[in-house]
């Protein structure tokens, strides 16, 4: 019954003012009303400063210059901190770079982190706290599957887009009425897995050579691990390879039985490593033990960071993973960040992390956010941008080759073109190999098998709508 | 002077048995209810309702459930997040697919969970203490496994089912305040029920089992009946809490929300709040769910109003410092009062009874 009005900063500090404001606005004499309201406001503000000290976030009026407010959900603590800190650090460094260059069409970016520790309740709290702060904002990157799912309903009701870049529900790329505010941008797990099969086919000498091959899916046995199974089954039917499923019980520290199975009984030609966190590293050691060639193991991108392979030592050499952005510092955009930020003694993270997988994943988050804002400004004029306008912008993103070159991101990111019914915008992936000390890109951008993915997306989205009772 | 038993004459049995014999307690409880039912929904902002009060209520209920089992009956459980998951999926399946009215769905979720909980409570007849903790840990893992693998429950590979729009007899429950009311009514009813239950014959039987199981068996208390009953009641609470998570908090049932860490957090709530205390469950839930938020808000308030901490510390250090402060608080409170916040409250009450004329 008492929705916080967007733009009403004070209502965050103390909801009581909203109620009182409504009450007093019925008093006939306007001056008296404003005077007493101001008094009350001052009192309420003083009290909330003293007692909570903290619920009052906004401080003095923030209207000095035009600024785009961006609340960020980050996790620098907890078990997945290496990923969270890298992504947030990279994204914020890119925002810094944009500000140093004068902002987006003169609008500076302003952001603040809210620590989620990768936990859904903390994420929900952060979202609710920040969504109407400073006039509210327009897009959230949860960087966590759990938080994405916990926010989907809310964000759709609030009309605020959520992105899930490289994670989350693959079927949300259908957009439309079923997933209006969810954007699994750049690529999804399903597109990725078709890319993987495409890559294997390249190595084997063509799609027709897949027939009779044996591909093992080694996956951590939780929802995330199982997500690609329907698409892989469809692929196996289509191309005639044999698919072996090897679940690893979470947390997946013990995988020797699966590897004996893969090597001795199933005799796999290729293994897809779909683990998560600490369980990503285990297969590399096990493969070394049973003598399975590492360059025939293809990891998901969440198993493809420096943090995943370094602990395996020499056993990780030649291991291949997918990725949806470049690695290393040899991109103009990363060089610019190094030059303008880190050389000046600033920067979000230790300089050694710049160019690592998670850092660059943050930079691609930054690029997409900034380009989406730019698109929104072009259509609606600069700030403030609300969620619906941002949705429009995310549905009309067009980052083509030329634009990528202008951004200094050639080879860093694939082209991206979205539409109201395509919330993914490309689905290209590339492959990288660990040479023992760093990741090296080993392929061009490989497109997904759109038709096959679309069929699965349609099926799954319809099922989702039906389960939810949406007709 | 004001907080005292003196002058309270128990002239009837009903008065002798009332929940709050001390007048000031009664007034305090009434004021609390008025605050919760009238003041908060009227004046709290949307953020306070959905970010603070609703999760606080929901997790209080879960902690209360575990407190019945651990604090009163003395049986340790590390499977309560799993039981909440059962309740969550049960609610969403009944409400979405079979159009069961919301209160019935929540109640049904409690009943189903309580059946599941009773089964996992059976080993408690043979094993005790830490060994029982390990066997309930198995409950957590088995429930997670079943939910992610049985597609009929989890609805596809994502193990996520969104609940459809809430409605009960034509009343559309869509604003934060309405959802808050749903949670509040259920929590108040169940808390009062728990408070009475633990004062009853059943509660006394539980406490005797907790304090010394051999002795209680000798005086004729059926271990089987009361241990399983404790598991049943406790998982009933967990199930309803899980249902509330779906209905009024997240809006979707997702297995990732009910992982093992949540089981530990609920146990932490019980330990910090005070074992064997209904009030303690609420204090503990408040401590675990709200204190990190409060620390977070305080630090950003300092950053905004006093000194920009992000210029002084690296973001990584700043984020971890919040956890360190939180950890320090836990150690501080447990060092000051190992029996929990509820015990602290009791100490204050005892002090107040004599104030200002102590012996």
């Amino acid at each position: 019954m008492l929705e916080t009005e967007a733009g009403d900063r004070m209502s965050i500090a103390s909801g009581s003012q909203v109620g009182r404001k409504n009450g007093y606005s019925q008093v006939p004499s306007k001056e008296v009303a404003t005077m007493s309201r101001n008094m009350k406001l001052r009192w309420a503000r003083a009290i909330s400063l003293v007692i909570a000290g903290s619920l009052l976030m906004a401080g003095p009026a923030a209207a000095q210059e035009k600024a785009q407010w961006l609340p960020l959900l980050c996790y620098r603590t907890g078990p997945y901190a290496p990923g969270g800190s890298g992504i947030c650090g990279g994204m914020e460094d890119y925002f810094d770079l944009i500000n140093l260059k004068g902002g987006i069409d003169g609008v500076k970016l302003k952001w603040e982190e809210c620590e989620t520790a990768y936990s859904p309740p903390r994420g929900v709290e952060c979202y609710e706290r920040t969504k109407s702060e400073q006039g509210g904002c327009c897009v959230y990157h949860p960087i966590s599957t759990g938080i994405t799912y916990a926010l989907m309903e809310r964000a759709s009701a609030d009309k605020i887009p959520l992105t899930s870049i490289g994670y989350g529900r693959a079927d949300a790329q259908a957009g439309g009425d079923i997933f209006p505010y969810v954007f699994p941008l750049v690529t999804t797990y399903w597109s990725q897995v078709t890319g993987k099969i495409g890559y294997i086919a390249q190595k084997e000498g063509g799609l027709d050579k897949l027939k009779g091959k044996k591909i093992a899916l080694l996956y951590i046995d939780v929802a995330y691990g199982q997500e690609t199974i329907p698409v892989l089954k469809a692929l196996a039917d289509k191309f005639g390879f044999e698919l072996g499923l090897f679940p690893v019980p979470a947390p997946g520290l013990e995988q020797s039985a699966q590897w004996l199975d893969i090597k001795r009984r199933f005799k796999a030609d290729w293994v897809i490593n779909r683990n998560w966190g600490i369980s990503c590293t285990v297969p590399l050691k096990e493969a070394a033990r049973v003598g399975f060639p590492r360059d025939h193991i293809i990891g998901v991108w969440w198993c493809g960071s420096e943090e995943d392979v370094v602990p395996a030592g020499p056993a990780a050499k030649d291991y291949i993973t997918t990725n949806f952005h470049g690695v290393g510092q040899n991109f103009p955009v990363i060089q610019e960040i190094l030059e303008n930020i880190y050389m000046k003694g600033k920067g979000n993270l230790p300089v050694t992390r710049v160019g690592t997988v998670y850092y660059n994943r943050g930079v691609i988050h930054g690029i997409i956010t900034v380009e989406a804002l730019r698109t929104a400004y072009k259509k609606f004029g600069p700030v403030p941008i609300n969620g619906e306008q941002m949705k429009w912008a995310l549905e009309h993103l067009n980052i083509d080759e030329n634009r990528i070159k202008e951004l200094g991101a050639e080879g860093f990111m694939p082209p991206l073109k979205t539409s109201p019914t395509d919330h993914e915008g490309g689905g290209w992936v590339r492959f990288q190999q660990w040479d023992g000390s760093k990741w090296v890109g080993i392929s061009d951008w490989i497109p997904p098998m759109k038709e096959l993915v679309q069929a699965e997306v349609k099926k799954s989205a319809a099922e989702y709508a039906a389960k939810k009772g949406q007709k | 002077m004001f907080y005292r038993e003196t002058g309270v004459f128990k002239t009837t049995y009903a008065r002798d048995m009332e929940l709050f014999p001390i007048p000031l307690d009664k007034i305090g409880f009434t004021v609390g209810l008025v605050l919760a039912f009238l003041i908060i929904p009227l004046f709290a902002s949307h953020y306070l309702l959905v970010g603070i009060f609703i999760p606080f209520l929901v997790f209080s209920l879960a902690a209360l459930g575990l407190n019945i089992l651990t604090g009163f009956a003395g049986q340790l459980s590390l499977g309560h997040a799993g039981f909440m998951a059962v309740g969550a999926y049960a609610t969403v399946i009944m409400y979405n697919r079979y159009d069961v009215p919301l209160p019935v769905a929540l109640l049904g979720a409690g009943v189903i969970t309580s059946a599941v909980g009773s089964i996992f409570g059976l080993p408690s007849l043979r094993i005790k203490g830490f060994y029982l903790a390990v066997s309930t840990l198995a409950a957590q893992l088995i429930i997670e496994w079943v939910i992610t693998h049985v597609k009929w429950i989890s609805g596809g590979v994502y193990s996520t089912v969104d609940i459809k729009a809430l409605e009960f007899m034509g009343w559309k429950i869509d604003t934060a305040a309405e959802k808050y009311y749903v949670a509040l009514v259920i929590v108040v009813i169940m808390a009062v029920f728990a408070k009475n239950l633990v004062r009853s014959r059943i509660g006394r039987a539980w406490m005797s089992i907790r304090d010394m199981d051999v002795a209680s068996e000798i005086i004729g208390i059926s271990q089987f009946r009361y241990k399983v009953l404790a598991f049943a009641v406790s998982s009933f609470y967990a199930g309803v809490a899980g249902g509330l998570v779906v209905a009024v908090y997240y809006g979707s049932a997702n297995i990732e929300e009910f992982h093992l860490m949540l089981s530990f957090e609920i146990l932490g709530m019980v330990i910090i709040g005070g074992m064997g205390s209904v009030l303690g469950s609420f204090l503990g839930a408040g401590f675990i769910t709200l204190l990190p938020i409060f620390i977070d808000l305080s630090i950003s308030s300092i950053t905004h109003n006093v000194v920009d901490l992000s210029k002084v510390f690296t973001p990584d250090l700043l984020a971890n410092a919040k956890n360190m402060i939180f950890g320090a608080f836990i150690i501080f409170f447990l060092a000051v009062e190992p029996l929990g916040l509820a015990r602290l409250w009791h100490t204050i009450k005892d002090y107040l009874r004599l104030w200002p004329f102590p012996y």
Side-chain angles (χ1 to χ4, degrees):
Chain A
M1 57 191 286
L2 268 176
E3 294 289 333
T4 308
E5 297 159 38
D8 187 350
R9 285 186 301 107
M10 291 305 297
S11 59
I12 301 166
S14 152
S16 62
Q17 290 135 21
V18 178
R20 283 185 189 142
K21 189 169 73 189
N22 291 344
Y24 280 110
S25 61
Q26 287 153 10
V27 176
S29 160
K30 225 177 178 179
E31 285 94 353
V32 175
T34 10
M35 240 177 68
S36 63
R37 198 177 111 201
N38 284 345
M39 289 282 285
K40 298 266 169 170
L41 278 177
R42 213 169 297 150
W43 268 109
R45 191 155 167 179
I47 290 165
S48 53
L49 257 177
V50 172
I51 300 170
S54 47
L55 297 178
L56 197 112
M57 299 274 299
Q64 308 96 349
E65 60 175 283
K66 270 191 184 168
Q68 176 65 53
W69 164 244
L70 286 168
L72 305 180
L73 305 182
C74 292
Y75 46 101
R76 291 173 187 273
T77 65
Y80 307 113
S85 58
I87 293 175
C88 268
M91 181 156 56
E92 287 171 40
D93 281 345
Y94 186 76
F95 291 163
D96 256 332
L97 181 69
I98 292 294
N99 277 354
L100 286 174
K101 288 162 135 184
I104 310 168
D105 305 338
V107 178
K108 291 273 173 80
L109 297 169
K110 215 170 94 193
W111 64 92
E112 191 169 299
E113 281 185 23
C114 188
E115 173 70 28
T116 65
Y118 199 80
S119 114
R122 295 279 298 276
V124 169
E125 191 272 332
C126 277
Y127 167 83
E128 291 293 346
R129 191 201 309 166
T130 52
K131 75 176 184 198
S132 46
E133 226 172 59
Q134 314 222 1
C137 185
C138 36
V139 63
Y140 278 86
H141 310 293
I143 330 181
S144 144
T145 306
I147 299 176
T148 310
Y149 293 169
L151 289 180
M152 265 170 62
E153 272 298 292
R154 285 162 194 270
S156 302
D158 294 337
K159 299 197 164 49
I160 297 176
L162 288 179
T163 74
S164 53
I165 299 175
Y167 56 91
R169 293 187 75 105
D171 54 359
Q173 61 181 276
D177 291 336
I178 304 175
F179 300 102
Y181 284 92
V182 187
F183 289 83
L185 288 164
V186 188
T187 177
T188 61
Y189 291 136
W190 288 359
S191 298
Q192 170 204 224
V193 85
T194 63
K196 274 180 189 164
I197 299 300
Y199 176 77
I200 292 173
Q202 259 183 32
K203 287 281 151 185
E204 295 285 354
L207 284 166
D208 50 321
K209 297 273 167 35
L210 283 174
K211 203 167 178 62
K213 287 272 175 296
K214 291 181 168 185
I215 299 178
L217 173 67
L218 179 75
Y219 62 99
I220 188 152
D221 204 5
V222 297
Y224 148 82
Q226 302 166 4
E227 278 171 26
T228 53
I229 293 174
V231 175
L232 269 172
K233 279 190 174 149
L235 283 164
D237 284 347
K238 188 166 176 196
F239 298 114
F241 63 83
E242 193 183 334
L243 176 70
L245 298 179
F246 297 89
V248 174
L253 296 179
E254 171 51 49
Q255 306 183 7
S256 51
Q258 285 84 353
W259 275 95
L260 278 179
D261 229 18
I262 288 173
K263 170 82 179 159
R264 304 266 159 80
R265 191 184 56 77
F266 184 64
K267 297 195 172 65
D269 297 302
W270 292 83
V271 173
I272 294 175
N273 177 20
R274 190 174 172 82
N275 275 294
W276 169 230
I278 195 150
S279 73
C280 285
T281 315
V282 182
L284 303 174
K285 289 185 175 168
E286 291 295 342
R289 192 168 301 151
V290 299
F292 190 87
R294 259 45 50 74
D295 59 358
H296 280 59
I297 306 177
I298 301 187
V300 61
W301 44 63
W302 299 110
C303 279
S305 71
E306 289 78 2
E307 288 82 352
D308 294 313
V309 288
V310 168
K317 193 167 177 301
D318 296 337
Y319 167 54
I320 299 170
T321 70
T322 22
N323 209 338
F324 52 90
H325 53 75
V327 281
Q329 301 183 339
N330 292 332
F331 301 98
V333 56
I334 304 289
Q335 287 301 325
E336 266 184 277
I337 291 176
L338 278 172
E339 230 163 78
N340 294 315
I341 298 172
Y342 283 88
M343 292 301 201
K344 304 228 164 86
K346 284 187 286 183
N348 213 282
L349 292 168
V351 69
T352 46
R353 291 193 67 186
V354 176
T356 62
V357 171
Y358 283 132
Y359 185 89
N360 286 9
R361 200 158 290 168
V363 173
I364 198 174
H365 272 79
I367 291 176
I368 290 168
T369 314
V370 168
E371 290 309 301
L373 283 170
R374 214 187 287 278
T375 312
Y377 293 167
K378 213 170 273 168
K379 165 99 176 168
F380 303 104
V383 278
I385 288 294
N386 66 25
E388 274 173 282
Q389 291 165 333
M390 193 63 175
K391 172 181 186 280
W392 185 92
L394 284 168
E395 283 177 345
H396 295 81
L397 265 181
N398 188 5
I399 310 178
D400 57 11
E401 292 290 352
N402 288 333
R403 185 64 196 147
I404 289 176
K405 205 175 270 179
E406 283 167 31
L407 292 169
E410 226 182 339
F412 183 79
M413 63 179 291
L416 188 71
K417 189 174 191 321
T418 53
S419 77
T421 49
D422 179 7
H423 282 192
E424 181 186 34
W428 303 68
V429 294
R430 62 182 302 183
F431 290 80
Q432 57 184 23
Q433 193 166 27
W434 182 250
D435 74 350
S437 59
K438 63 177 187 308
W439 289 106
V440 184
I442 53 165
S443 79
D444 279 336
W445 296 107
I446 293 180
M449 303 175 189
K450 268 277 180 215
E451 268 172 47
L452 192 134
V453 174
Q454 280 308 322
E456 290 296 324
V457 163
K458 228 173 242 164
K459 209 160 73 187
S460 175
E463 202 178 307
Y464 170 85
K467 285 257 158 53
K468 200 180 153 190
Q470 203 174 29
K471 298 269 147 60
Chain B
M1 197 197 295
F2 304 104
Y3 191 83
R4 58 182 182 185
E5 281 102 342
T6 345
V8 179
F9 301 109
K10 294 167 178 170
T11 47
T12 58
Y13 284 116
R15 286 218 68 183
D16 191 36
M17 291 196 298
E18 66 189 348
L19 269 181
F20 300 104
I22 299 173
L24 209 60
D25 266 349
K26 225 178 288 177
I27 297 170
F29 184 68
T30 321
V31 170
L33 280 187
V34 170
L35 212 66
F37 273 96
L38 296 177
I39 311 295
I40 288 175
L42 263 181
F43 294 111
S45 66
H46 181 79
Y47 160 64
L48 283 178
L49 284 177
V50 293
I52 306 269
F53 289 117
I54 292 178
F56 165 69
L57 287 172
V58 170
F59 288 114
S60 296
L61 193 61
L64 182 56
L66 185 60
N67 214 336
I68 289 172
L69 186 67
T70 306
F72 288 100
Q75 311 298 310
L76 209 52
S77 164
L78 289 177
H80 260 59
F83 296 146
M84 283 175 79
V86 174
Y89 280 94
T91 307
V92 83
I93 287 171
M94 279 189 277
Y95 186 71
N96 275 15
R97 294 186 212 162
Y98 300 106
D99 289 320
V100 177
L102 187 63
V104 183
L106 285 171
L107 200 71
V111 172
I112 290 170
T113 315
S114 118
V116 173
S118 312
I119 294 170
F120 285 109
L122 290 178
S124 69
L125 302 173
R126 289 265 178 245
I127 41 186
K128 289 173 197 159
F130 294 120
Y131 303 96
L132 181 64
V134 175
S135 89
T136 49
L137 186 67
Q140 169 82 31
L141 301 179
I142 290 169
I143 290 170
E144 274 186 43
W145 191 91
V146 169
I147 289 177
T148 42
H149 284 79
V150 179
K151 298 299 171 211
W152 181 82
I153 301 175
S154 57
V157 281
Y158 295 103
S159 294
T160 306
V161 193
D162 289 3
I163 198 161
K164 61 183 185 188
L166 292 185
E167 193 210 71
F168 174 54
M169 305 205 337
W171 173 39
K172 282 199 171 48
I173 308 164
D174 49 3
T175 68
E178 285 166 325
K179 288 181 178 171
Y180 168 81
Y181 271 122
V182 172
L184 184 67
V185 167
I186 291 174
V187 169
V188 166
I189 292 173
M190 290 180 73
V192 171
F193 181 78
K195 182 94 187 155
N196 279 306
L197 188 69
V198 298
R199 308 190 310 155
S200 71
R201 180 195 168 85
I202 295 171
R204 284 192 297 277
W206 284 341
M207 281 183 263
S208 74
I209 293 174
R210 173 191 67 189
D211 292 342
M212 195 168 189
D213 51 352
V214 178
S216 78
E217 198 167 2
I218 286 169
I219 58 171
I221 290 166
S222 161
Q223 302 289 294
F224 174 76
R225 183 189 302 163
Y226 287 105
K227 277 186 178 173
V228 173
L229 188 63
F231 267 96
V233 174
S234 171
S235 24
F236 181 87
Y237 276 70
V240 176
L244 283 180
V245 167
V246 177
V248 299
Y249 185 31
Y250 290 139
S252 68
N254 170 18
I255 193 65
E256 292 205 18
E257 291 151 6
F258 305 102
H259 46 67
L260 184 60
M261 267 320 282
L262 183 62
S263 282
F264 288 118
E265 274 174 24
I266 300 171
L267 190 62
M269 292 173 197
V270 171
I271 291 171
I272 289 172
M275 297 244 227
S277 159
V278 173
L279 176 73
S281 315
F282 286 86
L283 297 178
F287 190 94
I288 298 278
T289 54
L290 304 187
L291 191 61
I293 298 171
F294 186 75
I295 295 171
D296 209 29
L297 289 171
S298 307
I299 287 186
S300 40
S301 166
I302 294 172
T303 300
H304 282 286
N305 298 320
V306 188
V307 52
D308 193 348
L309 292 173
S310 62
K311 293 224 167 69
V312 188
F313 304 109
T314 64
D316 282 333
L317 184 64
L318 206 59
N320 283 296
K322 292 170 190 167
N323 279 8
M324 292 179 213
I325 296 170
F326 181 55
F329 267 109
I330 294 180
I331 294 172
F332 173 77
F333 275 102
L334 286 182
V336 168
E337 184 49 78
L339 295 177
L341 297 172
R343 184 66 228 175
L344 218 53
W345 171 241
H346 268 277
T347 316
I348 294 170
K349 286 211 304 197
D350 286 344
Y351 174 79
L352 280 178
R353 283 206 173 101
L354 299 177
W355 183 87
F357 304 116
Y359 314 119

